Amino acid sequence: MEELDWRFKIAHREAWIGLGLALFNFLWWFGFAYGLGSRPVEEYRYVFGLPDWFFYSCVVGFLLISVLVVIVVKFFFVEVPFDEEEEE
Amino acid sequence: MNYAVLVPMLVFLLIIFFIGYWSSRKLASSSNFISDYFLGGRELGGFVLAMTMVATYGSASSFLGGPGTAYTLGFGWVLLAMAQVVTGYFVLMILGKKYAIMARRYKAITMIDFLKARYNSTFVVLLSAFSIIVFLFSAMAAQWIGGARLVESLTGLSYNSALFLFAVSVLVYVTIGGFRAVALTDAVQGAVMLIGTLVLLIAVIVAGGGIPNIVNDLIAENPNLVTPYGANGDLTAAYVSSFWILVGVGVVGLPQIAVRAMSYKNSRAMHRALIIGTFVTGFIMLNMHLIGVFARPVMPGIEIGDKVIPLIALETLPPWVAGIVLAAPMAAIMSTVDSLLLLVSSSIVKDVYLNYVKPDATLKTIKRISFGVTGVLGIIVFLLALNPPELLIFLNLFAFGGLEAAFIWPIVLGLYWKWGNKYGAIASMMTGISSYIALHFYNLANGNLFGVHTVTVPVLLSLAAFIAFSLLIDRKAYQYTIQTPK
């Protein structure tokens, strides 16, 4: 008899999470960069001296993603053994 | 010669040598030489794993070329560089646990072992080994040239002597220490990069009189420098976004990265590596490229992009600090080179020699051949870097994009799509490489197709080829299941 390895279900879910996080990351990065960055330079505002589009897209985006990775890993990722189990 | 700069760098090299030596002693007592030499015995912890991925991936281009381009183009290039934050977690989450489990089940040491077991095809193995050897060899030679240039500009030695110094350092510790030496030195080098970029960023901001001041200077010079569109306004959203494939998600297909996803000790190490890797990658990329932009008002008129970082460090820091900080690009180059060197030699020894030439080689022979091949490869690269031939520079252009187009789908779909088979894999690799080369020429002549980076279209074409050929020829579901005894 064959049965699906229980660990694969976990692995597949985590791969989907990775894909979702990458998509979110892209949208955040793209949205702020071109949403705010397309205005004429005279209309830029500055946060800590950096242009606002850059600050939100790259600085906040990076920190936000780092935090999200921590949250996702701590709460949604499950530890599984990698070696084949010998029992059964 | 600037001794105050040189001494800290030499100390750094000595530490690296010591790690190589220490690893070689551990290797001598090893019971499983192949797995230990090429994979560090699958026992990397989270920190070392994260750092080795960052250091391997963060090459000469992130530390010299990238900031140099940011210097020329402004914030738009920093935006582009930040596409790399995704690699910090994406590779480990996608390959993740399934790759680790399958690699152990297949007893795979190299990425090609994985492909061999999954697709059960000699042709896939030889095609992969050939791509890895050709492309990575060229990529490696380019990095050596970068390393030699850096040593040259710091020491005032001639290019040839600088290259010799660099080559000997790399060869000694890779040859004796193997993967564990590489991974451990990567960890040290990663830490140096992390601290080095922060120190240099602060020094540049201080030298420029604060960020608002620097940004005003940039606007006064050319307002485009602070937009996402680059100094000449020619960085389009489509082009910049397509870098998400080349330097972001596509990195899953790079063999030197994929092999690291086999080497973690356990899930806990992988989880830690995810967190550390994301942060470190983002931090280094952000700082390094910002340094490039901020350097512009501080030191205007630098013509050669690669020299921006060394020059700005020498300008804004006390000499001995500059020496430590400049060890960062040195570290990046060395750690990329050593990983590539090991990967190319593992392809030759493990994937070709042990699979097809002499499967029953004794441990002693394997050892001797592994050291020998690694050493000989290093010497060939050295000779090529002395006077790089046209072909090499040409192939190097293809290295990363070509490998991604070739390998991304055979790896990812091989893991997650049960209908994937060897016909799909072969079609995908051939389509990827040939369309990448063809498109390269098309883009050179006509400007970028659809306004995106060359790698984008081949990645999509090779996906289509993978799916079509897997479904059309010899369609059969692959069993990922384990046989459980009744």
Side-chain angles (χ1 to χ4, degrees):
Chain A
M1 262 298 286
E2 288 169 354
E3 58 189 49
L4 193 68
D5 192 319
W6 63 276
R7 297 168 301 173
F8 286 173
K9 216 180 193 169
I10 294 168
H12 290 182
R13 194 185 64 194
E14 292 175 2
W16 281 114
I17 293 177
L19 208 59
L21 207 55
L23 196 68
F24 171 79
N25 192 348
F26 179 81
L27 291 175
W28 180 282
W29 171 89
F30 189 93
F32 278 105
Y34 295 101
L36 292 176
S38 304
R39 297 171 300 165
V41 178
E42 303 81 63
E43 291 174 24
Y44 283 1
R45 289 166 191 283
Y46 295 89
V47 188
F48 296 117
L50 295 165
D52 54 356
W53 67 266
F54 181 80
F55 181 77
Y56 291 114
S57 171
C58 296
V59 181
V60 177
F62 158 55
L63 295 175
L64 178 71
I65 288 296
S66 302
V67 171
L68 282 179
V69 168
V70 173
I71 292 173
V72 159
V73 169
K74 292 269 182 238
F75 294 101
F76 296 96
F77 275 42
V78 183
E79 285 187 23
V80 301
F82 289 153
D83 291 306
E84 304 294 340
E85 54 227 313
E86 301 294 330
E87 75 264 28
E88 280 188 275
Chain B
M1 208 180 281
N2 194 338
Y3 286 101
V5 179
L6 213 54
V7 169
M9 285 198 71
L10 288 177
V11 170
F12 175 76
L13 277 180
L14 281 178
I15 295 173
I16 299 294
F17 274 132
F18 177 77
I19 295 173
Y21 172 72
W22 181 78
S23 305
S24 75
R25 292 188 47 195
K26 205 160 177 188
L27 196 63
S29 61
S30 153
S31 55
N32 190 350
F33 173 76
I34 287 274
S35 164
D36 253 27
Y37 188 69
F38 292 122
L39 211 51
R42 287 192 220 281
E43 54 173 34
L44 297 192
F47 178 76
V48 176
L49 176 64
M51 287 307 199
T52 183
M53 293 191 95
V54 174
T56 301
Y57 182 65
S59 61
S61 65
S62 341
F63 280 85
L64 300 173
T69 315
Y71 179 89
T72 316
L73 295 180
F75 277 103
W77 197 260
V78 190
L79 175 72
L80 183 149
M82 288 310 277
Q84 295 172 83
V85 172
V86 72
T87 53
Y89 57 91
F90 190 75
V91 174
L92 282 179
M93 283 191 184
I94 293 298
L95 295 176
K97 297 189 170 124
K98 186 135 186 198
Y99 192 62
I101 294 167
M102 297 309 284
R104 270 162 218 242
R105 184 177 297 172
Y106 295 152
K107 298 195 170 33
I109 306 290
T110 62
M111 187 190 85
I112 296 183
D113 282 339
F114 170 81
L115 295 175
K116 182 182 180 218
R118 171 64 178 80
Y119 295 108
N120 197 13
S121 154
T122 304
F123 192 65
V124 168
V125 173
L126 293 179
L127 188 62
S128 315
F130 180 75
S131 319
I132 288 184
I133 292 166
V134 170
F135 284 128
L136 285 189
F137 199 78
S138 326
M140 185 157 62
Q143 298 277 331
W144 286 53
I145 298 168
R149 291 249 183 264
L150 187 66
V151 176
E152 185 189 6
S153 69
L154 287 175
T155 58
L157 289 170
S158 72
Y159 173 77
N160 286 2
S161 327
L163 181 65
F164 184 73
L165 190 73
F166 181 76
V168 170
S169 325
V170 171
L171 269 179
V172 167
Y173 80 83
V174 180
T175 320
I176 59 178
F179 188 89
R180 187 182 286 111
V182 169
L184 285 176
T185 50
D186 278 356
V188 176
Q189 287 159 339
V192 170
M193 294 184 217
L194 195 69
I195 298 164
T197 61
L198 184 63
V199 171
L200 188 54
L201 180 68
I202 294 171
V204 173
I205 293 174
V206 171
I211 299 177
N213 205 4
I214 294 175
V215 170
N216 283 335
D217 288 346
L218 287 172
I219 296 175
E221 190 193 335
N222 175 0
N224 279 342
L225 287 168
V226 300
T227 68
Y229 299 103
N232 312 315
D234 53 6
L235 287 178
T236 63
Y239 183 73
V240 172
S241 301
S242 64
F243 270 78
W244 274 69
I245 296 184
L246 183 70
V247 299
V249 297
V251 173
V252 171
L254 290 181
Q256 67 271 40
I257 297 296
V259 75
R260 280 168 168 65
M262 288 181 175
S263 59
Y264 25 82
K265 197 197 245 163
N266 52 30
S267 330
R268 188 185 299 253
M270 180 196 142
H271 292 172
R272 285 193 60 197
L274 267 170
I275 294 171
I276 300 170
T278 308
F279 183 77
V280 173
T281 310
F283 188 83
I284 291 180
M285 294 306 160
L286 184 64
N287 287 355
M288 220 51 214
H289 290 86
L290 273 180
I291 293 168
V293 179
F294 290 171
R296 195 178 174 96
V298 179
M299 280 187 91
I302 301 176
E303 306 249 316
I304 300 171
D306 282 1
K307 289 192 171 171
V308 170
I309 292 293
L311 288 178
I312 198 78
L314 292 172
E315 165 82 17
T316 57
L317 295 170
W320 65 276
V321 183
I324 298 174
V325 167
L326 287 177
M330 188 75 179
I333 296 172
M334 284 175 74
S335 60
T336 304
V337 162
D338 55 32
S339 310
L340 300 184
L341 190 59
L342 206 59
L343 198 73
V344 175
S345 56
S346 76
S347 293
I348 295 174
V349 175
K350 178 76 185 50
D351 302 323
V352 178
Y353 181 80
L354 277 184
N355 276 340
Y356 302 109
V357 182
K358 201 169 183 206
D360 56 348
T362 61
L363 184 65
K364 214 175 147 198
T365 319
I366 296 172
K367 265 191 187 178
R368 210 179 296 146
I369 291 195
S370 302
F371 292 141
V373 167
T374 312
V376 169
L377 273 175
I379 293 166
I380 297 174
V381 180
F382 170 72
L383 294 175
L384 285 176
L386 274 180
N387 189 8
E390 280 295 309
L391 181 70
L392 197 73
I393 294 163
F394 176 75
L395 284 172
N396 178 55
L397 283 177
F398 295 124
F400 282 12
L403 284 167
E404 288 174 6
F407 288 119
I408 186 167
W409 301 116
I411 294 179
V412 174
L413 292 181
L415 275 180
Y416 293 105
W417 194 50
K418 66 178 176 182
W419 299 108
N421 65 23
K422 64 178 172 186
Y423 302 103
I426 293 167
S428 175
M429 289 166 73
M430 303 255 246
T431 311
I433 295 175
S434 56
S435 62
Y436 188 76
I437 294 177
L439 201 62
H440 175 78
F441 287 112
Y442 176 88
N443 286 349
L444 271 186
N446 305 308
N448 285 346
L449 184 64
F450 308 129
V452 294
H453 186 268
T454 316
V455 78
T456 317
V457 176
V459 162
L460 297 177
L461 288 178
S462 61
L463 171 64
F466 190 97
I467 294 177
F469 279 79
S470 292
L471 293 178
L472 289 174
I473 305 178
D474 200 19
R475 175 169 162 178
K476 209 168 94 206
Y478 181 80
Q479 303 287 350
Y480 294 104
T481 50
I482 34 170
Q483 305 279 337
T484 46
K486 266 280 171 191

